Amino acid sequence: TADYSEGALVLTAGLRARLPAHVDVIVFSPDELRLVPGVQLRSLSQLPCAAAPVSAGEPMMPHFSFCWAKLGLWTLEDEYDLIVYMDADILILGDVSALLDPPPHGQLQAVPACECWRSESCSYTAKEKGTSCGSHEDDGVPYFNAGVLAFRPSRAEYESMTRALKEANCQAMPFAEQDFLNEHFRGRVTALHPKFNALKHALKNAKHEADLPIDNCVALHYVMGKPWEPATKMEEDFQDLRALWWKAREEYLPRSFLRPRWSERQVHPSLPGLWLVPE
């Protein structure tokens, strides 16, 4: 969305700089955005909209409601063998090529969530120690963060998800589609290394910082406070991480340009070759 336009610019520019030319980098958005060359802008209306069940209740954060749109990516099987989805509040710091190895059909790759905020037994970085990757509600089932996902698109899988949304007696979903995907793909998730979705709070957490140094991070995820927003007092501990994002923005912004919605910029239907575009 427009609120995340700055993030989309920095994320996709970082991906475009590190991926081979034959790998598409795409932003789905309802808005006009500034993007670097080699990044595609496609209308969000090209994806089917999966409606959140009423029983899911209100999400913890209002913008979580928008995240249900990512389910529509599963319908792109005629275009892609693999989709790697990333939230727009992510900064690319390293080599993402390992994410281009497709998982088996019907499987999902994701990074277990950091549960320190609600559990003393969080094991976000424990995978390297040979223990569990994380748990949710003490049931021992890995609960993942949906900010980075790798999967093979499948219309059949999308239809299965929409049926589940309509038929299931869903419980509250404060994390919106993340809660739903965790339930829908239960038993079909392969854990990725935390470096592919390094949650900024974990980098400042004594439980995890030694196992996840910033120099090893591939994708830094700015959960909660965003670096392009005015810093609140709660963000004081993250000034160095915010500075990394701003440094990347300063590098990418001069190479970016506005991608107009030409159909909306046409002066008049009787003047098919004339558009009004801001400077």
Side-chain angles (χ1 to χ4, degrees), residues 90-262:
I90 286 176
L91 170 65
I92 301 301
L93 296 173
D95 183 10
V96 296
S97 61
L99 295 175
L100 300 181
D101 185 16
H105 288 281
Q107 298 287 313
L108 183 69
Q109 292 178 333
V111 174
C114 176
E115 301 274 79
C116 284
W117 65 281
R118 59 180 171 186
S119 173
E120 291 294 325
S121 60
C122 174
S123 51
Y124 172 59
T125 54
K127 184 174 185 291
E128 292 302 291
K129 302 174 183 178
T131 58
S132 61
C133 301
S135 61
H136 181 44
E137 297 180 352
D138 298 323
D139 60 5
V141 177
Y143 181 88
F144 59 83
N145 179 281
V148 175
L149 304 171
F151 57 91
R152 292 178 181 268
S154 162
R155 286 196 190 88
E157 190 72 68
Y158 176 77
E159 292 169 0
S160 175
M161 288 190 282
T162 56
R163 286 195 301 271
L165 288 171
K166 293 176 182 178
E167 299 171 0
N169 183 18
C170 299
Q171 58 184 1
M173 297 182 184
F175 290 97
E177 95 302 341
Q178 178 171 289
D179 287 334
F180 171 73
L181 289 172
N182 268 274
E183 182 61 31
H184 183 77
F185 282 95
R186 183 182 292 265
R188 295 189 287 151
V189 181
T190 301
L192 294 169
H193 192 285
K195 68 182 180 181
F196 293 110
N197 189 357
L199 308 178
K200 74 177 185 184
H201 292 91
L203 298 183
K204 300 294 183 178
N205 186 321
K207 290 183 179 180
H208 306 304
E209 57 185 352
D211 296 313
L212 194 62
I214 187 64
D215 290 344
N216 290 349
C217 292
V218 173
L220 174 57
H221 194 172
Y222 293 87
V223 292
M224 303 307 288
K226 310 307 175 190
W228 59 85
E229 297 174 339
T232 64
K233 190 170 182 63
M234 294 177 62
E235 291 291 302
E236 290 180 353
D237 291 342
F238 307 105
Q239 289 303 320
D240 57 332
L241 302 183
R242 292 171 64 92
L244 287 175
W245 186 90
W246 279 99
K247 181 180 179 181
R249 182 184 183 275
E250 291 174 3
E251 176 185 349
Y252 299 138
L253 184 61
R255 297 194 283 113
S256 68
F257 61 97
L258 182 68
R259 304 295 180 83
R261 298 282 188 205
W262 294 111

Side-chain angles (χ1 to χ4, degrees), residues 12 24-28 35-36 38-42 80 259:
T12 57
D24 289 346
V25 178
I26 304 171
V27 180
F28 283 93
L35 299 169
V36 300
V39 175
Q40 301 178 33
L41 176 61
R42 294 174 59 171
Y80 298 104
R259 304 295 180 83

